[in-house]
Structures are given as structure tokens and as C-alpha cells.
Amino acid sequence: MTVERYIRIMAGFVVMLSLALGYHGSPIFVSEWFLALTAFAGFNLFQSGFTGFCPPAILFKKLGVPEGGTACKVK
């Protein structure tokens, strides 16, 4: 798998988990403040779409994950 795929998986997981932890109807509800994590993940996806800068890409690249996509290139 490539850096871009790992980032998509990570972002999707963070959004789903934070919604589950922040929504009152969820069986694993903790606090509404977890919805801020959803907003943070969305903001990072939004800004990386415009700038091409993706902070997790730096971490994944250092961990040895191969680059393959063009959406999250580490410069």
C-alpha cells in the first residue's frame, strides 16, 4: 500500500471513531467534544486538497511506506 492509501484509511477511521464517541445515540458515546476531532480531520483533508501538504504523509514516509499517489507527496 502507498502513503496516500494509508492516509485515506487513517482519515476515515478517525472520522468514524470520533463520530461514534461524540454522538449521543452511539453505544460508545463519551463526550460531544470528540466531534471536534471530526472537524479537525475534515479541515486537514480540506487544506491538503489545496496545498498538497499532508502532515501524516511525513510520518508514513519516515516509517518506510512507499509513495505512489500524487495527492500527498512529501517534498
Side-chain angles (χ1 to χ4, degrees), residues 18-74:
S18 61
L19 283 174
L21 294 172
Y23 176 64
H24 276 287
S26 170
I28 59 171
F29 170 77
V30 176
S31 169
E32 296 91 8
W33 283 101
F34 277 100
L35 297 177
L37 187 58
T38 306
F40 179 74
F43 175 76
N44 276 325
L45 289 169
F46 182 76
Q47 69 83 23
S48 72
F50 284 106
T51 65
F53 175 70
C54 194
I58 298 167
L59 173 68
F60 288 132
K61 186 68 176 167
K62 287 184 180 184
L63 290 172
V65 177
E67 279 189 70
T70 57
C72 292
K73 271 200 158 180
V74 178

